Amino acid sequence: MSNKQLDWSNLGFGYIRTEKRYVSNFKNGAWDEGGLNEDANIVLNECAGVFQYAQTVFEGLKAYRTEDGRIVTFRPDLNASRMAESAKRLEMPVFPEDKFIEAVEAVVAANADFVPPYGSGATMYLRPYMFGSNPVIGVKPATEYQFRIFVTPVGPYFKGGAKPLTLRVCDFDRAAPRGTGHIKAGLNYAMSLHAIVDAHNQGYDENMYLDSATRTKVEETGGANFIFITKDGKLVTPKSDTILPSITRRSLCYVAKEYLGMEVEEREILLDEVKDFAECGLCGTAAVISPVGKIVDHGKEICFPSGMQEMGSITRKLYDTLTGIQMGRIEAPAGWIHEINVK
Ligand code: PLP
Ligand code: COI
């Protein structure tokens, strides 16, 4: 597939095979040199740890084309460190964080033609991941691993662009084992697949998960964190150690405070108080900021005053500032933008 065949403005959030991927193997207690190759397929033993006990973790980040034609990534150091935390929790060797950044640089530069043009609405999504690759039949960690990054150009995560979403309060639990919700391990996602299919079948765009212990507190959705805006213009976001610590959310909290002069609160949020917020949005690498218009709690509708037609005005400001920073229109805080050197 050549980039010339791609209709950038109409891409969905899907996989498109690109030319090069980064691969490194861990064996006998050490990572090899690693490098790029053109083979998108993986051949593994039938008993590999990833197949038997789902010993796998992943990350997600994006590369953007700036207005002046450069290619940049957004805070890849935070993906590297979060992946290290995920790996430790699943008894996997950590892929060195400096090598993670080098791998990001190499794989984006090698597929530079697939970074969508500025203003097209599309971006390049990077998927770093790692899995146990040697046979394990007793319940124990693998001793050999593979780390990979592939890239794929993507459009909006939710169909319908910036149209507000309808969510439902979800009765299913992702059954994140205690204390693992803060990492990006594959585990929790498999448990959310039934819930998302069920939500879509019933006409909802996503699930609002509640905390499993009390089922009274707002957690996150299947692929994004929540932000809420109060009627007096504060940003409020759930504090929980069983949700993914979103890099987008951490960045938005900073942007709200330092760029927009807003008050920011990270605290427990009860489902009961959601009806009092003025705006609601989902934030994440893939979701960027996707506005939520309505949440249905077992037949009872919570409709946000911002409505079902467009983003609320404060959500819009946050969106414009964050994407402005990511695409080089607004000066970024030091260290947030990592430029890719394309030879
Ligand atoms: N929550 C979940 C479950 C996710 O899969 C993601 C996506 O990465 C996020 C939140 C948002 O995290 P980030 O902003 O780091 O992409
Ligand atoms: C991301 O935004 O990187 C995610 O992980 C969301 C998703 C595609 C599950």
PDB file of all heavy atoms in Angstrom, residues 199-237:
ATOM      1  N   ALA A 199     -22.996  -2.985  24.307  1.00  0.00           N
ATOM      2  CA  ALA A 199     -23.366  -1.557  24.268  1.00  0.00           C
ATOM      3  C   ALA A 199     -23.726  -1.143  22.843  1.00  0.00           C
ATOM      4  O   ALA A 199     -24.746  -0.492  22.600  1.00  0.00           O
ATOM      5  CB  ALA A 199     -22.218  -0.698  24.806  1.00  0.00           C
ATOM      6  N   HIS A 200     -22.888  -1.532  21.886  1.00  0.00           N
ATOM      7  CA  HIS A 200     -23.164  -1.177  20.486  1.00  0.00           C
ATOM      8  C   HIS A 200     -24.486  -1.798  20.016  1.00  0.00           C
ATOM      9  O   HIS A 200     -25.278  -1.139  19.351  1.00  0.00           O
ATOM     10  CB  HIS A 200     -22.014  -1.619  19.576  1.00  0.00           C
ATOM     11  CG  HIS A 200     -20.789  -0.776  19.740  1.00  0.00           C
ATOM     12  ND1 HIS A 200     -19.566  -1.131  19.233  1.00  0.00           N
ATOM     13  CD2 HIS A 200     -20.587   0.422  20.366  1.00  0.00           C
ATOM     14  CE1 HIS A 200     -18.666  -0.198  19.532  1.00  0.00           C
ATOM     15  NE2 HIS A 200     -19.257   0.747  20.217  1.00  0.00           N
ATOM     16  N   ASN A 201     -24.718  -3.061  20.387  1.00  0.00           N
ATOM     17  CA  ASN A 201     -25.972  -3.717  19.992  1.00  0.00           C
ATOM     18  C   ASN A 201     -27.189  -2.975  20.528  1.00  0.00           C
ATOM     19  O   ASN A 201     -28.258  -2.994  19.925  1.00  0.00           O
ATOM     20  CB  ASN A 201     -26.022  -5.167  20.505  1.00  0.00           C
ATOM     21  CG  ASN A 201     -25.097  -6.054  19.692  1.00  0.00           C
ATOM     22  OD1 ASN A 201     -24.688  -5.685  18.591  1.00  0.00           O
ATOM     23  ND2 ASN A 201     -24.749  -7.209  20.249  1.00  0.00           N
ATOM     24  N   GLN A 202     -26.992  -2.311  21.652  1.00  0.00           N
ATOM     25  CA  GLN A 202     -28.125  -1.575  22.238  1.00  0.00           C
ATOM     26  C   GLN A 202     -28.124  -0.106  21.856  1.00  0.00           C
ATOM     27  O   GLN A 202     -28.887   0.691  22.411  1.00  0.00           O
ATOM     28  CB  GLN A 202     -28.076  -1.731  23.753  1.00  0.00           C
ATOM     29  CG  GLN A 202     -28.295  -3.194  24.145  1.00  0.00           C
ATOM     30  CD  GLN A 202     -28.527  -3.327  25.629  1.00  0.00           C
ATOM     31  OE1 GLN A 202     -29.245  -2.534  26.215  1.00  0.00           O
ATOM     32  NE2 GLN A 202     -27.924  -4.337  26.223  1.00  0.00           N
ATOM     33  N   GLY A 203     -27.263   0.266  20.913  1.00  0.00           N
ATOM     34  CA  GLY A 203     -27.299   1.629  20.369  1.00  0.00           C
ATOM     35  C   GLY A 203     -26.445   2.647  21.111  1.00  0.00           C
ATOM     36  O   GLY A 203     -26.564   3.846  20.868  1.00  0.00           O
ATOM     37  N   TYR A 204     -25.567   2.198  22.017  1.00  0.00           N
ATOM     38  CA  TYR A 204     -24.701   3.137  22.738  1.00  0.00           C
ATOM     39  C   TYR A 204     -23.319   3.161  22.108  1.00  0.00           C
ATOM     40  O   TYR A 204     -22.864   2.172  21.539  1.00  0.00           O
ATOM     41  CB  TYR A 204     -24.579   2.729  24.214  1.00  0.00           C
ATOM     42  CG  TYR A 204     -25.914   2.715  24.923  1.00  0.00           C
ATOM     43  CD1 TYR A 204     -26.559   1.512  25.202  1.00  0.00           C
ATOM     44  CD2 TYR A 204     -26.534   3.905  25.279  1.00  0.00           C
ATOM     45  CE1 TYR A 204     -27.792   1.499  25.829  1.00  0.00           C
ATOM     46  CE2 TYR A 204     -27.768   3.905  25.907  1.00  0.00           C
ATOM     47  CZ  TYR A 204     -28.392   2.699  26.179  1.00  0.00           C
ATOM     48  OH  TYR A 204     -29.610   2.697  26.801  1.00  0.00           O
ATOM     49  N   ASP A 205     -22.636   4.301  22.244  1.00  0.00           N
ATOM     50  CA  ASP A 205     -21.290   4.417  21.672  1.00  0.00           C
ATOM     51  C   ASP A 205     -20.231   3.796  22.572  1.00  0.00           C
ATOM     52  O   ASP A 205     -19.206   3.331  22.100  1.00  0.00           O
ATOM     53  CB  ASP A 205     -20.933   5.899  21.464  1.00  0.00           C
ATOM     54  CG  ASP A 205     -21.855   6.555  20.454  1.00  0.00           C
ATOM     55  OD1 ASP A 205     -21.891   6.085  19.309  1.00  0.00           O
ATOM     56  OD2 ASP A 205     -22.553   7.523  20.823  1.00  0.00           O
ATOM     57  N   GLU A 206     -20.434   3.852  23.880  1.00  0.00           N
ATOM     58  CA  GLU A 206     -19.423   3.354  24.824  1.00  0.00           C
ATOM     59  C   GLU A 206     -20.067   3.034  26.166  1.00  0.00           C
ATOM     60  O   GLU A 206     -21.241   3.341  26.392  1.00  0.00           O
ATOM     61  CB  GLU A 206     -18.320   4.418  25.040  1.00  0.00           C
ATOM     62  CG  GLU A 206     -16.971   4.084  24.415  1.00  0.00           C
ATOM     63  CD  GLU A 206     -16.227   2.914  25.067  1.00  0.00           C
ATOM     64  OE1 GLU A 206     -16.747   2.276  25.997  1.00  0.00           O
ATOM     65  OE2 GLU A 206     -15.083   2.647  24.632  1.00  0.00           O
ATOM     66  N   ASN A 207     -19.279   2.449  27.047  1.00  0.00           N
ATOM     67  CA  ASN A 207     -19.698   2.113  28.409  1.00  0.00           C
ATOM     68  C   ASN A 207     -19.066   3.057  29.410  1.00  0.00           C
ATOM     69  O   ASN A 207     -17.875   3.377  29.292  1.00  0.00           O
ATOM     70  CB  ASN A 207     -19.206   0.706  28.766  1.00  0.00           C
ATOM     71  CG  ASN A 207     -19.949  -0.363  28.003  1.00  0.00           C
ATOM     72  OD1 ASN A 207     -21.171  -0.494  28.123  1.00  0.00           O
ATOM     73  ND2 ASN A 207     -19.214  -1.125  27.187  1.00  0.00           N
ATOM     74  N   MET A 208     -19.849   3.450  30.401  1.00  0.00           N
ATOM     75  CA  MET A 208     -19.251   4.107  31.566  1.00  0.00           C
ATOM     76  C   MET A 208     -19.067   3.021  32.623  1.00  0.00           C
ATOM     77  O   MET A 208     -20.053   2.484  33.141  1.00  0.00           O
ATOM     78  CB  MET A 208     -20.158   5.208  32.115  1.00  0.00           C
ATOM     79  CG  MET A 208     -19.690   5.711  33.476  1.00  0.00           C
ATOM     80  SD  MET A 208     -20.832   6.857  34.256  1.00  0.00           S
ATOM     81  CE  MET A 208     -20.145   8.423  33.758  1.00  0.00           C
ATOM     82  N   TYR A 209     -17.808   2.678  32.916  1.00  0.00           N
ATOM     83  CA  TYR A 209     -17.556   1.685  33.967  1.00  0.00           C
ATOM     84  C   TYR A 209     -17.580   2.355  35.329  1.00  0.00           C
ATOM     85  O   TYR A 209     -17.127   3.486  35.481  1.00  0.00           O
ATOM     86  CB  TYR A 209     -16.196   1.018  33.757  1.00  0.00           C
ATOM     87  CG  TYR A 209     -16.193   0.098  32.559  1.00  0.00           C
ATOM     88  CD1 TYR A 209     -15.599   0.475  31.360  1.00  0.00           C
ATOM     89  CD2 TYR A 209     -16.807  -1.149  32.626  1.00  0.00           C
ATOM     90  CE1 TYR A 209     -15.608  -0.356  30.258  1.00  0.00           C
ATOM     91  CE2 TYR A 209     -16.823  -1.993  31.522  1.00  0.00           C
ATOM     92  CZ  TYR A 209     -16.224  -1.592  30.345  1.00  0.00           C
ATOM     93  OH  TYR A 209     -16.243  -2.414  29.262  1.00  0.00           O
ATOM     94  N   LEU A 210     -18.129   1.616  36.300  1.00  0.00           N
ATOM     95  CA  LEU A 210     -18.128   2.081  37.692  1.00  0.00           C
ATOM     96  C   LEU A 210     -17.092   1.272  38.462  1.00  0.00           C
ATOM     97  O   LEU A 210     -16.666   0.207  38.001  1.00  0.00           O
ATOM     98  CB  LEU A 210     -19.517   1.855  38.304  1.00  0.00           C
ATOM     99  CG  LEU A 210     -20.672   2.555  37.587  1.00  0.00           C
ATOM    100  CD1 LEU A 210     -21.998   2.218  38.267  1.00  0.00           C
ATOM    101  CD2 LEU A 210     -20.471   4.071  37.547  1.00  0.00           C
ATOM    102  N   ASP A 211     -16.715   1.744  39.628  1.00  0.00           N
ATOM    103  CA  ASP A 211     -15.735   1.004  40.441  1.00  0.00           C
ATOM    104  C   ASP A 211     -16.342  -0.337  40.852  1.00  0.00           C
ATOM    105  O   ASP A 211     -17.527  -0.404  41.206  1.00  0.00           O
ATOM    106  CB  ASP A 211     -15.324   1.820  41.663  1.00  0.00           C
ATOM    107  CG  ASP A 211     -16.422   1.872  42.705  1.00  0.00           C
ATOM    108  OD1 ASP A 211     -17.498   2.435  42.395  1.00  0.00           O
ATOM    109  OD2 ASP A 211     -16.223   1.328  43.806  1.00  0.00           O
ATOM    110  N   SER A 212     -15.541  -1.394  40.804  1.00  0.00           N
ATOM    111  CA  SER A 212     -16.113  -2.722  41.075  1.00  0.00           C
ATOM    112  C   SER A 212     -16.454  -2.931  42.541  1.00  0.00           C
ATOM    113  O   SER A 212     -17.355  -3.694  42.851  1.00  0.00           O
ATOM    114  CB  SER A 212     -15.199  -3.861  40.627  1.00  0.00           C
ATOM    115  OG  SER A 212     -13.986  -3.407  40.187  1.00  0.00           O
ATOM    116  N   ALA A 213     -15.783  -2.232  43.447  1.00  0.00           N
ATOM    117  CA  ALA A 213     -16.007  -2.495  44.870  1.00  0.00           C
ATOM    118  C   ALA A 213     -17.363  -1.975  45.336  1.00  0.00           C
ATOM    119  O   ALA A 213     -18.082  -2.683  46.036  1.00  0.00           O
ATOM    120  CB  ALA A 213     -14.885  -1.875  45.697  1.00  0.00           C
ATOM    121  N   THR A 214     -17.743  -0.761  44.935  1.00  0.00           N
ATOM    122  CA  THR A 214     -19.002  -0.190  45.456  1.00  0.00           C
ATOM    123  C   THR A 214     -20.025   0.100  44.347  1.00  0.00           C
ATOM    124  O   THR A 214     -21.188   0.340  44.642  1.00  0.00           O
ATOM    125  CB  THR A 214     -18.734   1.137  46.207  1.00  0.00           C
ATOM    126  OG1 THR A 214     -18.372   2.145  45.239  1.00  0.00           O
ATOM    127  CG2 THR A 214     -17.616   0.998  47.230  1.00  0.00           C
ATOM    128  N   ARG A 215     -19.589   0.111  43.108  1.00  0.00           N
ATOM    129  CA  ARG A 215     -20.446   0.426  41.962  1.00  0.00           C
ATOM    130  C   ARG A 215     -21.191   1.757  42.152  1.00  0.00           C
ATOM    131  O   ARG A 215     -22.344   1.899  41.742  1.00  0.00           O
ATOM    132  CB  ARG A 215     -21.414  -0.725  41.661  1.00  0.00           C
ATOM    133  CG  ARG A 215     -20.718  -2.079  41.552  1.00  0.00           C
ATOM    134  CD  ARG A 215     -21.476  -3.090  40.735  1.00  0.00           C
ATOM    135  NE  ARG A 215     -21.798  -2.607  39.397  1.00  0.00           N
ATOM    136  CZ  ARG A 215     -20.929  -2.516  38.386  1.00  0.00           C
ATOM    137  NH1 ARG A 215     -19.686  -2.901  38.539  1.00  0.00           N
ATOM    138  NH2 ARG A 215     -21.322  -2.074  37.214  1.00  0.00           N
ATOM    139  N   THR A 216     -20.516   2.729  42.741  1.00  0.00           N
ATOM    140  CA  THR A 216     -21.125   4.058  42.901  1.00  0.00           C
ATOM    141  C   THR A 216     -20.245   5.146  42.291  1.00  0.00           C
ATOM    142  O   THR A 216     -20.675   6.275  42.133  1.00  0.00           O
ATOM    143  CB  THR A 216     -21.303   4.412  44.406  1.00  0.00           C
ATOM    144  OG1 THR A 216     -20.004   4.341  45.037  1.00  0.00           O
ATOM    145  CG2 THR A 216     -22.267   3.469  45.104  1.00  0.00           C
ATOM    146  N   LYS A 217     -18.986   4.793  41.960  1.00  0.00           N
ATOM    147  CA  LYS A 217     -18.051   5.828  41.510  1.00  0.00           C
ATOM    148  C   LYS A 217     -17.709   5.670  40.030  1.00  0.00           C
ATOM    149  O   LYS A 217     -17.592   4.544  39.531  1.00  0.00           O
ATOM    150  CB  LYS A 217     -16.761   5.756  42.334  1.00  0.00           C
ATOM    151  CG  LYS A 217     -16.968   6.258  43.759  1.00  0.00           C
ATOM    152  CD  LYS A 217     -15.733   6.097  44.604  1.00  0.00           C
ATOM    153  CE  LYS A 217     -15.860   4.888  45.498  1.00  0.00           C
ATOM    154  NZ  LYS A 217     -14.711   4.635  46.323  1.00  0.00           N
ATOM    155  N   VAL A 218     -17.526   6.807  39.360  1.00  0.00           N
ATOM    156  CA  VAL A 218     -17.209   6.806  37.932  1.00  0.00           C
ATOM    157  C   VAL A 218     -15.754   6.404  37.732  1.00  0.00           C
ATOM    158  O   VAL A 218     -14.860   6.945  38.386  1.00  0.00           O
ATOM    159  CB  VAL A 218     -17.427   8.222  37.340  1.00  0.00           C
ATOM    160  CG1 VAL A 218     -16.983   8.268  35.884  1.00  0.00           C
ATOM    161  CG2 VAL A 218     -18.878   8.636  37.491  1.00  0.00           C
ATOM    162  N   GLU A 219     -15.516   5.463  36.813  1.00  0.00           N
ATOM    163  CA  GLU A 219     -14.147   5.057  36.507  1.00  0.00           C
ATOM    164  C   GLU A 219     -13.720   5.635  35.156  1.00  0.00           C
ATOM    165  O   GLU A 219     -13.278   6.754  35.062  1.00  0.00           O
ATOM    166  CB  GLU A 219     -14.050   3.535  36.519  1.00  0.00           C
ATOM    167  CG  GLU A 219     -14.213   2.946  37.914  1.00  0.00           C
ATOM    168  CD  GLU A 219     -12.880   2.641  38.567  1.00  0.00           C
ATOM    169  OE1 GLU A 219     -12.250   1.656  38.186  1.00  0.00           O
ATOM    170  OE2 GLU A 219     -12.493   3.365  39.483  1.00  0.00           O
ATOM    171  N   GLU A 220     -13.933   4.882  34.084  1.00  0.00           N
ATOM    172  CA  GLU A 220     -13.542   5.351  32.743  1.00  0.00           C
ATOM    173  C   GLU A 220     -14.371   4.596  31.724  1.00  0.00           C
ATOM    174  O   GLU A 220     -15.319   3.893  32.086  1.00  0.00           O
ATOM    175  CB  GLU A 220     -12.041   5.135  32.535  1.00  0.00           C
ATOM    176  CG  GLU A 220     -11.611   3.674  32.633  1.00  0.00           C
ATOM    177  CD  GLU A 220     -10.152   3.438  32.245  1.00  0.00           C
ATOM    178  OE1 GLU A 220      -9.549   4.273  31.566  1.00  0.00           O
ATOM    179  OE2 GLU A 220      -9.628   2.379  32.622  1.00  0.00           O
ATOM    180  N   THR A 221     -14.055   4.755  30.451  1.00  0.00           N
ATOM    181  CA  THR A 221     -14.733   3.960  29.416  1.00  0.00           C
ATOM    182  C   THR A 221     -13.752   2.890  28.930  1.00  0.00           C
ATOM    183  O   THR A 221     -12.645   2.774  29.446  1.00  0.00           O
ATOM    184  CB  THR A 221     -15.180   4.828  28.224  1.00  0.00           C
ATOM    185  OG1 THR A 221     -14.008   5.355  27.581  1.00  0.00           O
ATOM    186  CG2 THR A 221     -16.087   5.972  28.665  1.00  0.00           C
ATOM    187  N   GLY A 222     -14.143   2.148  27.913  1.00  0.00           N
ATOM    188  CA  GLY A 222     -13.307   1.052  27.426  1.00  0.00           C
ATOM    189  C   GLY A 222     -11.960   1.504  26.893  1.00  0.00           C
ATOM    190  O   GLY A 222     -10.978   0.761  26.951  1.00  0.00           O
ATOM    191  N   GLY A 223     -11.884   2.730  26.362  1.00  0.00           N
ATOM    192  CA  GLY A 223     -10.629   3.172  25.768  1.00  0.00           C
ATOM    193  C   GLY A 223     -10.286   4.615  26.052  1.00  0.00           C
ATOM    194  O   GLY A 223      -9.471   5.222  25.342  1.00  0.00           O
ATOM    195  N   ALA A 224     -10.874   5.206  27.097  1.00  0.00           N
ATOM    196  CA  ALA A 224     -10.593   6.617  27.386  1.00  0.00           C
ATOM    197  C   ALA A 224     -10.984   6.953  28.819  1.00  0.00           C
ATOM    198  O   ALA A 224     -11.828   6.283  29.413  1.00  0.00           O
ATOM    199  CB  ALA A 224     -11.364   7.526  26.415  1.00  0.00           C
ATOM    200  N   ASN A 225     -10.389   8.000  29.363  1.00  0.00           N
ATOM    201  CA  ASN A 225     -10.738   8.540  30.689  1.00  0.00           C
ATOM    202  C   ASN A 225     -11.845   9.593  30.533  1.00  0.00           C
ATOM    203  O   ASN A 225     -12.067  10.114  29.438  1.00  0.00           O
ATOM    204  CB  ASN A 225      -9.521   9.239  31.322  1.00  0.00           C
ATOM    205  CG  ASN A 225      -8.513   8.299  31.978  1.00  0.00           C
ATOM    206  OD1 ASN A 225      -7.537   8.761  32.553  1.00  0.00           O
ATOM    207  ND2 ASN A 225      -8.714   6.990  31.926  1.00  0.00           N
ATOM    208  N   PHE A 226     -12.477   9.919  31.638  1.00  0.00           N
ATOM    209  CA  PHE A 226     -13.504  10.973  31.655  1.00  0.00           C
ATOM    210  C   PHE A 226     -12.928  12.312  32.101  1.00  0.00           C
ATOM    211  O   PHE A 226     -12.078  12.365  33.006  1.00  0.00           O
ATOM    212  CB  PHE A 226     -14.601  10.649  32.679  1.00  0.00           C
ATOM    213  CG  PHE A 226     -15.656   9.723  32.163  1.00  0.00           C
ATOM    214  CD1 PHE A 226     -15.692   8.399  32.568  1.00  0.00           C
ATOM    215  CD2 PHE A 226     -16.614  10.182  31.273  1.00  0.00           C
ATOM    216  CE1 PHE A 226     -16.671   7.529  32.097  1.00  0.00           C
ATOM    217  CE2 PHE A 226     -17.604   9.331  30.793  1.00  0.00           C
ATOM    218  CZ  PHE A 226     -17.628   8.004  31.213  1.00  0.00           C
ATOM    219  N   ILE A 227     -13.427  13.383  31.487  1.00  0.00           N
ATOM    220  CA  ILE A 227     -13.295  14.722  32.089  1.00  0.00           C
ATOM    221  C   ILE A 227     -14.695  15.326  32.170  1.00  0.00           C
ATOM    222  O   ILE A 227     -15.536  15.074  31.293  1.00  0.00           O
ATOM    223  CB  ILE A 227     -12.362  15.670  31.303  1.00  0.00           C
ATOM    224  CG1 ILE A 227     -12.798  15.797  29.831  1.00  0.00           C
ATOM    225  CG2 ILE A 227     -10.905  15.250  31.398  1.00  0.00           C
ATOM    226  CD1 ILE A 227     -12.130  16.960  29.112  1.00  0.00           C
ATOM    227  N   PHE A 228     -14.944  16.072  33.225  1.00  0.00           N
ATOM    228  CA  PHE A 228     -16.219  16.773  33.380  1.00  0.00           C
ATOM    229  C   PHE A 228     -15.924  18.243  33.619  1.00  0.00           C
ATOM    230  O   PHE A 228     -14.889  18.598  34.192  1.00  0.00           O
ATOM    231  CB  PHE A 228     -17.001  16.241  34.590  1.00  0.00           C
ATOM    232  CG  PHE A 228     -17.387  14.793  34.463  1.00  0.00           C
ATOM    233  CD1 PHE A 228     -16.613  13.803  35.074  1.00  0.00           C
ATOM    234  CD2 PHE A 228     -18.514  14.413  33.743  1.00  0.00           C
ATOM    235  CE1 PHE A 228     -16.954  12.453  34.961  1.00  0.00           C
ATOM    236  CE2 PHE A 228     -18.863  13.070  33.630  1.00  0.00           C
ATOM    237  CZ  PHE A 228     -18.086  12.089  34.242  1.00  0.00           C
ATOM    238  N   ILE A 229     -16.842  19.097  33.169  1.00  0.00           N
ATOM    239  CA  ILE A 229     -16.740  20.531  33.437  1.00  0.00           C
ATOM    240  C   ILE A 229     -17.933  20.915  34.313  1.00  0.00           C
ATOM    241  O   ILE A 229     -19.081  20.580  33.973  1.00  0.00           O
ATOM    242  CB  ILE A 229     -16.773  21.358  32.120  1.00  0.00           C
ATOM    243  CG1 ILE A 229     -15.724  20.861  31.095  1.00  0.00           C
ATOM    244  CG2 ILE A 229     -16.604  22.855  32.418  1.00  0.00           C
ATOM    245  CD1 ILE A 229     -14.277  21.003  31.528  1.00  0.00           C
ATOM    246  N   THR A 230     -17.647  21.577  35.432  1.00  0.00           N
ATOM    247  CA  THR A 230     -18.736  21.973  36.329  1.00  0.00           C
ATOM    248  C   THR A 230     -19.419  23.232  35.781  1.00  0.00           C
ATOM    249  O   THR A 230     -18.872  23.904  34.891  1.00  0.00           O
ATOM    250  CB  THR A 230     -18.206  22.297  37.749  1.00  0.00           C
ATOM    251  OG1 THR A 230     -17.294  23.406  37.622  1.00  0.00           O
ATOM    252  CG2 THR A 230     -17.479  21.107  38.355  1.00  0.00           C
ATOM    253  N   LYS A 231     -20.570  23.547  36.363  1.00  0.00           N
ATOM    254  CA  LYS A 231     -21.308  24.729  35.883  1.00  0.00           C
ATOM    255  C   LYS A 231     -20.515  26.011  36.122  1.00  0.00           C
ATOM    256  O   LYS A 231     -20.711  26.997  35.430  1.00  0.00           O
ATOM    257  CB  LYS A 231     -22.681  24.793  36.549  1.00  0.00           C
ATOM    258  CG  LYS A 231     -23.571  23.685  35.975  1.00  0.00           C
ATOM    259  CD  LYS A 231     -24.994  23.724  36.462  1.00  0.00           C
ATOM    260  CE  LYS A 231     -25.765  22.592  35.774  1.00  0.00           C
ATOM    261  NZ  LYS A 231     -26.631  21.852  36.701  1.00  0.00           N
ATOM    262  N   ASP A 232     -19.594  25.992  37.105  1.00  0.00           N
ATOM    263  CA  ASP A 232     -18.768  27.194  37.286  1.00  0.00           C
ATOM    264  C   ASP A 232     -17.378  27.057  36.636  1.00  0.00           C
ATOM    265  O   ASP A 232     -16.423  27.730  37.041  1.00  0.00           O
ATOM    266  CB  ASP A 232     -18.676  27.601  38.769  1.00  0.00           C
ATOM    267  CG  ASP A 232     -18.105  26.486  39.637  1.00  0.00           C
ATOM    268  OD1 ASP A 232     -17.860  25.380  39.107  1.00  0.00           O
ATOM    269  OD2 ASP A 232     -17.898  26.717  40.841  1.00  0.00           O
ATOM    270  N   GLY A 233     -17.283  26.154  35.635  1.00  0.00           N
ATOM    271  CA  GLY A 233     -16.096  26.148  34.779  1.00  0.00           C
ATOM    272  C   GLY A 233     -14.862  25.444  35.310  1.00  0.00           C
ATOM    273  O   GLY A 233     -13.756  25.686  34.830  1.00  0.00           O
ATOM    274  N   LYS A 234     -15.021  24.533  36.276  1.00  0.00           N
ATOM    275  CA  LYS A 234     -13.889  23.748  36.788  1.00  0.00           C
ATOM    276  C   LYS A 234     -13.752  22.459  35.991  1.00  0.00           C
ATOM    277  O   LYS A 234     -14.760  21.902  35.555  1.00  0.00           O
ATOM    278  CB  LYS A 234     -14.224  23.342  38.228  1.00  0.00           C
ATOM    279  CG  LYS A 234     -13.321  23.888  39.277  1.00  0.00           C
ATOM    280  CD  LYS A 234     -13.668  23.268  40.628  1.00  0.00           C
ATOM    281  CE  LYS A 234     -14.302  24.279  41.551  1.00  0.00           C
ATOM    282  NZ  LYS A 234     -14.943  23.719  42.724  1.00  0.00           N
ATOM    283  N   LEU A 235     -12.521  21.973  35.864  1.00  0.00           N
ATOM    284  CA  LEU A 235     -12.332  20.640  35.264  1.00  0.00           C
ATOM    285  C   LEU A 235     -12.255  19.617  36.397  1.00  0.00           C
ATOM    286  O   LEU A 235     -11.447  19.782  37.314  1.00  0.00           O
ATOM    287  CB  LEU A 235     -11.056  20.606  34.427  1.00  0.00           C
ATOM    288  CG  LEU A 235     -10.817  19.351  33.569  1.00  0.00           C
ATOM    289  CD1 LEU A 235      -9.840  19.671  32.443  1.00  0.00           C
ATOM    290  CD2 LEU A 235     -10.282  18.169  34.357  1.00  0.00           C
ATOM    291  N   VAL A 236     -13.089  18.592  36.335  1.00  0.00           N
ATOM    292  CA  VAL A 236     -13.086  17.551  37.356  1.00  0.00           C
ATOM    293  C   VAL A 236     -12.884  16.210  36.665  1.00  0.00           C
ATOM    294  O   VAL A 236     -13.496  15.947  35.613  1.00  0.00           O
ATOM    295  CB  VAL A 236     -14.420  17.543  38.148  1.00  0.00           C
ATOM    296  CG1 VAL A 236     -14.365  16.526  39.280  1.00  0.00           C
ATOM    297  CG2 VAL A 236     -14.730  18.915  38.703  1.00  0.00           C
ATOM    298  N   THR A 237     -12.018  15.382  37.244  1.00  0.00           N
ATOM    299  CA  THR A 237     -11.716  14.094  36.607  1.00  0.00           C
ATOM    300  C   THR A 237     -11.542  13.031  37.698  1.00  0.00           C
ATOM    301  O   THR A 237     -11.072  13.344  38.799  1.00  0.00           O
ATOM    302  CB  THR A 237     -10.472  14.266  35.681  1.00  0.00           C
ATOM    303  OG1 THR A 237     -10.288  13.080  34.930  1.00  0.00           O
ATOM    304  CG2 THR A 237      -9.203  14.584  36.454  1.00  0.00           C
TER     305      THR A 237
END
